[in-house]
Amino acid sequence: MNRNKYLFEIGVEELPAGYIQPAIDFMVNYFDNQLHNHKIKFESIEKFSTPRRLALIIRGLPSGQKDSQKEIIGPPKKIAYDSKGNLNQVGLGFLKKQNLSENDITIRKLEKGEYLSAVKIIKGKATEEILKQISIEIIGKIPFPKTMRWSENNISFARPIRWIVAIFNQTALTFKIGEINSNCYSFGNRFENLHNKFKIKNIDEYKSELEKHFVIPDRERRKEIILEQLSKTASKVNAIPTEDSQLVETVTDLVEYPSPVLGEFDKDFLNLPAEVLITTLSETQKCFSILDKKGYLLPYFICIANSNPKTIDKVKYGNERVINARLSDAKFYFETDKKTKLINRIENTKKTTFQKELGSFFDKTERMRKLGKFLAKILNYDSKKIDRASQLSKTDLTTLILGEKEYTKLQGFMGSQYALNDKEDKEVAKAIFEQYLPRYKDDILPETQTGVALSLTDKMDTICGCFSIGLIPSGSNDPLALRRAGNGIIKILDKQNLSIQLNHFIEKSLESFEKIAKSQKSVATELFNFFSQRIKKHLEKYKINYDIIDAVMSSGFFDIPDLIIRAKNLQNFKSHEDFRKLIIGFKRVTNILSDSEIQAELDIKLFQENEENALYQKMMKIVPKYNKSVDEKNYKKSFEILVSLKDDIDIFFDNVMVMVDDKKIRENRMALLRMINKHFLKTANLSKIVYEI
């Protein structure tokens, strides 16, 4: 059993919280891939991270690579030997270059003739040597949003590197990165003292040794401690902390040794909207709000500090002073903003740019108003409410409070609050907030009809506008979050069961961009492809098989609720044995039609076999029932009707030769098969269904 282990730690100045997890995950993957490439097997990689360190422990490493053999093909035999059968300059040159003797040579017969050949033993490298190489290489490969250089070396990293720990078993691996020599010395928490260097004597004691110096390197354990501290600290005032998973994640990456601080602010600030108060605490100071048992905010907060528990009073005082000042600012912004009605802010949206080529937010809201009327008519929604909400939708962007970067995530919410203050219709006010829903994965969706319409028009306008000027997502590049907007449209249409023809919605939105789009037709095609990909991903969440998705989408995917019903019903039918046999028949139909050169009209007078007429008569009998079931969206019945055609298709193929020499008869039989396809493609292209043989 391989018992070798390796500890690698990069010590740095404090990293931004958002940099840490992508960096440590990259390190794990990089070591995994590189060790695999070097044919070094291992048992596990354990990762550790704090604001000041990125570390890995790799266990179960071998002592080195296994020796390997490599066949070396040399020059052709005919040019490697002289007339006496002795190696000439060419042959001897080959031996010298490969460090071989004449006894190592064999003659290999290849396609082009006989060649000199030799099997060379390649000595495996020691694991320590490979680990050194990977550890040095990885420094310049970790992807950070921004990097910096320091001193006069050529190293680029997110923050200056201060130490490197590299230990193989109990021995330090020595190498140099810039001006830093690797060794077995790490550093504890800053509050312990500025130069708190200590030696790691045993890799297995890495975690416990760091904890002695007020560092908890295991991120998950640190997170658990923080959650426990939040609950325990809030209970001191008979309360509970607000649930904020994102803030918990951020704070976990801000501290090495969490210490909870219970602070207090002026209770008069509780008159502010709860979201303003919570945002002030979380965004400016990364502090948690506290609720009483009924869910109302209390004038307290919890800060998770990276400080010596003995000096916690200083942290409390500092946070209280800053938070009271920031809440005072927020109150001033809020009260001042309320003095100007949203309707009077519309003019200001003309001065606020949405996107350089797409105009101002005023231009955007005018497009949304036009699109809103289109939706109101289709969905039978209140067009006046939608129009009013569209007019006011972006006015909160001109307020003082949203001018402060800490409050930008309250966009829409502040608009709804100010709309209520202006005595606007309650549904209109709520829609101003709902236009941005869903904001992230698993977020809530709009509830009001006006909010649904506003959310759909806002997102569709952004997507169509960006595609019209060539701002199309590619790879990981999606700066305006168009994929998220597209996913949001599909989720809303699904959950609200809105049978809007998505292609008509897209085309209506594109009318506003006729003057700037290079080609309306090509932009529409790109948009259909974009939504097609989003829809496929959405269907996968319902556990629909890929072939079922392809089959139903081939028959149209612009009516989302209808598409989902068809997919679910087809998925259920796929397991039926009779349906399986029907699919085989449909595949034969599709394959034969692919050889059709012309599309002749069906002429029943040209039928020569009873089976032709029987299949036609059965078709005529079931088509009305089938069409009715499709119109009623009773797809279970639709697929049952299709199954009833199975035997007739089988009998037809068993007894009728389609590809006869007589062109008229051949094309007429193809016309019959084409009629089957035409009628029954309304639900799905069954030829795309896959069955394992």
Coordinates of all heavy atoms in Angstrom, one line a residue, residues 588 592 607-615 646-660 665 669 672:
R588 N -38.8 3.0 -40.4 CA -38.8 2.5 -41.7 C -39.4 3.5 -42.7 O -38.9 3.7 -43.8 CB -39.5 1.2 -41.8 CG -38.8 0.1 -41.0 CD -39.5 -1.3 -41.1 NE -39.4 -1.9 -42.5 CZ -40.0 -3.0 -42.8 NH1 -40.7 -3.7 -41.9 NH2 -39.9 -3.5 -44.0
I592 N -37.2 5.3 -45.8 CA -37.6 5.2 -47.2 C -37.9 6.6 -47.8 O -37.5 6.9 -48.9 CB -38.9 4.3 -47.3 CG1 -38.5 2.9 -47.0 CG2 -39.5 4.5 -48.7 CD1 -39.7 1.9 -47.0
F607 N -53.4 2.3 -56.2 CA -53.2 1.2 -55.3 C -53.3 -0.1 -56.0 O -54.2 -0.3 -56.7 CB -54.2 1.2 -54.1 CG -54.0 2.4 -53.1 CD1 -55.0 2.7 -52.3 CD2 -52.8 3.0 -53.0 CE1 -54.9 3.8 -51.3 CE2 -52.6 4.0 -52.1 CZ -53.6 4.4 -51.3
Q608 N -52.3 -1.0 -55.8 CA -52.3 -2.3 -56.4 C -52.5 -3.4 -55.4 O -52.9 -4.5 -55.8 CB -51.0 -2.5 -57.2 CG -50.8 -1.6 -58.4 CD -49.5 -1.9 -59.1 OE1 -48.5 -2.4 -58.5 NE2 -49.5 -1.7 -60.4
E609 N -52.2 -3.2 -54.2 CA -52.2 -4.2 -53.1 C -53.3 -3.9 -52.1 O -53.5 -2.7 -51.8 CB -50.9 -4.3 -52.4 CG -49.7 -4.5 -53.3 CD -49.7 -5.9 -54.1 OE1 -50.5 -6.8 -53.6 OE2 -49.0 -6.0 -55.1
N610 N -53.9 -4.9 -51.6 CA -54.9 -4.7 -50.5 C -54.4 -4.0 -49.3 O -55.1 -3.2 -48.7 CB -55.5 -6.1 -50.1 CG -56.3 -6.7 -51.2 OD1 -56.9 -6.0 -52.1 ND2 -56.5 -8.0 -51.2
E611 N -53.1 -4.3 -49.0 CA -52.5 -3.7 -47.8 C -52.3 -2.2 -47.9 O -52.4 -1.5 -46.9 CB -51.1 -4.3 -47.5 CG -51.2 -5.8 -47.1 CD -51.4 -6.8 -48.2 OE1 -51.4 -6.3 -49.4 OE2 -51.6 -8.0 -48.0
E612 N -52.1 -1.7 -49.2 CA -52.1 -0.3 -49.4 C -53.4 0.4 -49.0 O -53.5 1.4 -48.3 CB -51.8 0.1 -50.9 CG -50.4 -0.3 -51.3 CD -50.2 0.0 -52.8 OE1 -50.4 -0.9 -53.6 OE2 -49.8 1.2 -53.1
N613 N -54.5 -0.2 -49.5 CA -55.8 0.4 -49.3 C -56.2 0.3 -47.8 O -56.8 1.2 -47.2 CB -56.8 -0.3 -50.2 CG -58.2 0.4 -50.1 OD1 -58.3 1.5 -50.5 ND2 -59.2 -0.4 -49.7
A614 N -55.8 -0.9 -47.2 CA -56.1 -1.1 -45.8 C -55.4 0.0 -44.9 O -56.0 0.5 -44.0 CB -55.7 -2.5 -45.3
L615 N -54.2 0.3 -45.2 CA -53.4 1.3 -44.4 C -54.1 2.7 -44.6 O -54.2 3.4 -43.7 CB -52.0 1.3 -44.9 CG -51.1 2.3 -44.1 CD1 -51.1 2.1 -42.6 CD2 -49.6 2.2 -44.7
K646 N -50.1 0.5 -35.6 CA -48.9 -0.4 -35.6 C -49.0 -1.6 -36.5 O -48.2 -1.8 -37.4 CB -48.5 -0.8 -34.2 CG -47.4 -1.8 -34.1 CD -47.2 -2.4 -32.7 CE -48.4 -3.3 -32.3 NZ -48.5 -4.5 -33.1
D647 N -50.1 -2.4 -36.3 CA -50.2 -3.6 -37.1 C -50.4 -3.3 -38.6 O -49.8 -4.1 -39.5 CB -51.4 -4.4 -36.6 CG -51.2 -5.0 -35.2 OD1 -50.0 -5.1 -34.8 OD2 -52.2 -5.3 -34.5
D648 N -51.1 -2.3 -38.9 CA -51.3 -1.9 -40.3 C -50.0 -1.5 -41.0 O -49.8 -1.9 -42.2 CB -52.3 -0.8 -40.5 CG -53.7 -1.2 -39.9 OD1 -54.5 -1.7 -40.7 OD2 -53.9 -1.0 -38.7
I649 N -49.2 -0.8 -40.3 CA -47.9 -0.4 -40.9 C -47.0 -1.7 -41.1 O -46.3 -1.8 -42.1 CB -47.1 0.6 -40.0 CG1 -47.9 1.9 -40.0 CG2 -45.7 0.8 -40.4 CD1 -47.4 3.0 -39.1
D650 N -47.0 -2.5 -40.1 CA -46.2 -3.8 -40.2 C -46.7 -4.6 -41.4 O -45.8 -5.2 -42.1 CB -46.3 -4.6 -38.9 CG -45.5 -4.0 -37.7 OD1 -44.7 -3.1 -38.0 OD2 -45.8 -4.3 -36.6
I651 N -48.0 -4.8 -41.5 CA -48.5 -5.6 -42.6 C -48.2 -5.0 -43.9 O -47.8 -5.7 -44.9 CB -50.1 -5.8 -42.4 CG1 -50.4 -6.6 -41.2 CG2 -50.7 -6.4 -43.7 CD1 -51.8 -6.7 -40.8
F652 N -48.2 -3.7 -44.0 CA -47.9 -3.0 -45.2 C -46.5 -3.3 -45.6 O -46.2 -3.7 -46.8 CB -48.1 -1.5 -45.0 CG -47.7 -0.6 -46.2 CD1 -48.5 -0.4 -47.3 CD2 -46.4 -0.1 -46.2 CE1 -48.1 0.3 -48.4 CE2 -45.9 0.7 -47.3 CZ -46.8 0.9 -48.4
F653 N -45.5 -3.1 -44.7 CA -44.1 -3.4 -45.0 C -43.8 -4.8 -45.3 O -42.9 -5.2 -46.1 CB -43.2 -2.8 -43.9 CG -43.0 -1.4 -44.0 CD1 -43.4 -0.5 -43.0 CD2 -42.4 -0.8 -45.1 CE1 -43.2 0.8 -43.0 CE2 -42.2 0.6 -45.2 CZ -42.6 1.4 -44.2
D654 N -44.6 -5.7 -44.7 CA -44.4 -7.2 -44.9 C -44.8 -7.6 -46.3 O -44.3 -8.6 -46.8 CB -45.1 -8.0 -43.8 CG -44.4 -7.9 -42.4 OD1 -43.3 -7.4 -42.4 OD2 -45.1 -8.2 -41.4
N655 N -45.8 -6.9 -46.8 CA -46.4 -7.4 -48.0 C -46.3 -6.5 -49.3 O -46.7 -6.9 -50.4 CB -47.9 -7.7 -47.8 CG -48.1 -8.8 -46.8 OD1 -48.0 -10.0 -47.1 ND2 -48.4 -8.5 -45.5
V656 N -45.9 -5.3 -49.0 CA -45.8 -4.3 -50.1 C -44.4 -3.9 -50.3 O -43.7 -3.4 -49.4 CB -46.7 -3.1 -49.8 CG1 -46.6 -2.1 -51.0 CG2 -48.1 -3.5 -49.7
M657 N -43.9 -4.0 -51.6 CA -42.6 -3.5 -51.9 C -42.7 -2.0 -52.4 O -43.4 -1.7 -53.3 CB -42.0 -4.3 -53.1 CG -40.7 -3.8 -53.6 SD -39.3 -3.8 -52.5 CE -39.0 -5.6 -52.5
V658 N -42.1 -1.1 -51.6 CA -42.3 0.3 -51.9 C -41.4 0.7 -53.1 O -41.8 1.4 -54.0 CB -41.9 1.2 -50.7 CG1 -42.0 2.7 -51.0 CG2 -42.8 0.9 -49.5
M659 N -40.1 0.3 -53.0 CA -39.2 0.7 -54.0 C -39.2 -0.2 -55.3 O -38.3 -0.8 -55.7 CB -37.8 0.7 -53.5 CG -37.6 1.5 -52.2 SD -38.1 3.2 -52.4 CE -36.7 3.8 -53.3
V660 N -40.4 -0.2 -56.0 CA -40.6 -0.9 -57.2 C -40.0 -0.1 -58.4 O -39.7 1.1 -58.3 CB -42.1 -1.2 -57.4 CG1 -42.6 -2.2 -56.4 CG2 -42.9 0.1 -57.5
I665 N -45.9 4.1 -59.4 CA -46.3 3.3 -58.2 C -45.4 3.5 -57.0 O -45.9 3.7 -55.9 CB -46.3 1.8 -58.6 CG1 -47.2 1.5 -59.8 CG2 -46.7 0.9 -57.4 CD1 -48.7 1.8 -59.6
R669 N -46.7 5.2 -53.4 CA -46.6 4.5 -52.1 C -45.8 5.4 -51.2 O -46.1 5.4 -50.0 CB -45.9 3.2 -52.3 CG -46.8 2.1 -53.0 CD -46.1 0.9 -53.4 NE -47.1 -0.1 -54.0 CZ -46.8 -1.2 -54.6 NH1 -45.5 -1.6 -54.7 NH2 -47.7 -1.9 -55.1
L672 N -48.2 7.9 -49.8 CA -49.0 7.3 -48.7 C -48.2 7.4 -47.3 O -48.8 7.8 -46.3 CB -49.4 5.9 -49.0 CG -50.1 5.1 -47.9 CD1 -51.4 5.7 -47.6 CD2 -50.3 3.6 -48.4

